[in-house]
Amino acid sequence: MRKISLFIAMSVDGYIAKPNDDLTFLKLVEKAGEDYGYGEFTDNIDTLIVGRRTYDYVLKNVGSSHYDNGQRDVYVLTRTERPQVGRTTFYTGDLAELVRRLKSEKGKNIYCDGGAEVINELLKFDLIDEFIISIVPVLLGSGTRLFKDDRPEQTLDFIKVKTFETGLTQLHYKRTPFI
């Protein structure tokens, strides 16, 4: 069965974005030639799930090929129906149902790139199998929190931690299976 992985960066105080969806704090750890394992991670995925606001931000600031590179299926979660573009599907249905279907299909792993609403909905239904969380050495004080209140408690198994010259620390966990 395929797994769904979260690969995301946050501040030390738990924010994935500053107010107004501002991601400029990520520039603090930009370093030529360093991708923090992102390339290796994406080599093992062929499906991506992303919220519409995150998708729009990446589309505007990075470009459409960041997600839809012709090698993977992209599901953009939205409340507004839109026609499919390339391998990008604008999905308005039930997220848990989509993930369960995708996990049962053949293929590589599934990557959730956010945003917080999508991540917390997946957590609510215990659907994230692997967590790779990069901690950027900054305290933002406000913004969009990665983990929201009112979700079930989940136990994680430690895999590894990596530290980088830029001060970024990357934590890798997998979900503890139910006994």
Side-chain angles (χ1 to χ4, degrees):
M1 181 178 266
R2 301 162 78 186
K3 67 180 176 183
I4 186 164
S5 301
L6 176 64
F7 189 105
I8 199 161
M10 71 178 192
S11 64
V12 172
D13 53 350
Y15 295 99
I16 59 172
K18 291 166 44 171
N20 301 313
D21 299 327
D22 181 350
L23 300 178
T24 56
F25 77 99
L26 298 174
K27 293 182 185 306
L28 295 170
V29 292
E30 282 183 0
K31 181 180 177 190
E34 179 60 75
D35 76 348
Y36 299 106
Y38 184 77
E40 180 182 349
F41 171 78
T42 57
D43 285 346
N44 295 305
I45 62 138
D46 65 2
T47 305
L48 191 129
I49 296 173
V50 62
R52 195 229 4 112
R53 284 177 34 204
T54 302
Y55 175 80
D56 287 347
Y57 179 90
V58 169
L59 200 65
K60 177 182 173 190
N61 294 287
V62 181
S64 62
S65 65
H66 180 73
Y67 287 143
D68 187 354
N69 63 4
Q71 304 296 311
R72 56 184 168 229
D73 295 318
V74 179
Y75 291 87
V76 179
L77 304 174
T78 181
R79 291 181 181 90
T80 307
E81 292 199 22
R82 291 168 53 179
Q84 185 168 329
V85 177
R87 292 182 69 175
T88 301
T89 300
F90 296 90
Y91 185 79
T92 58
D94 181 83
L95 175 59
E97 183 180 300
L98 171 67
V99 169
R100 287 184 187 107
R101 178 177 59 83
L102 292 173
K103 279 184 165 189
S104 71
E105 294 173 352
K106 289 187 179 192
K108 293 182 178 181
N109 292 323
I110 305 160
Y111 167 31
C112 176
D113 191 30
E117 287 181 43
V118 174
I119 293 165
N120 283 279
E121 187 72 9
L122 291 171
L123 288 169
K124 184 170 118 182
F125 293 103
D126 195 30
L127 294 171
I128 299 177
D129 301 296
E130 176 183 48
F131 300 78
I132 301 168
I133 303 171
S134 296
I135 311 296
V136 178
V138 63
L139 296 168
L140 296 179
S142 64
T144 304
R145 285 202 167 279
L146 174 55
F147 300 113
K148 306 287 185 190
D149 291 339
D150 300 320
R151 63 184 154 60
E153 179 179 323
Q154 293 166 322
T155 306
L156 306 176
D157 290 331
F158 173 75
I159 303 296
K160 66 181 174 182
V161 64
K162 275 182 91 173
T163 57
F164 297 85
E165 195 176 282
T166 59
L168 182 136
T169 301
Q170 192 171 75
L171 306 170
H172 188 169
Y173 297 97
K174 68 177 182 177
R175 182 186 65 213
T176 303
F178 289 122
I179 297 174

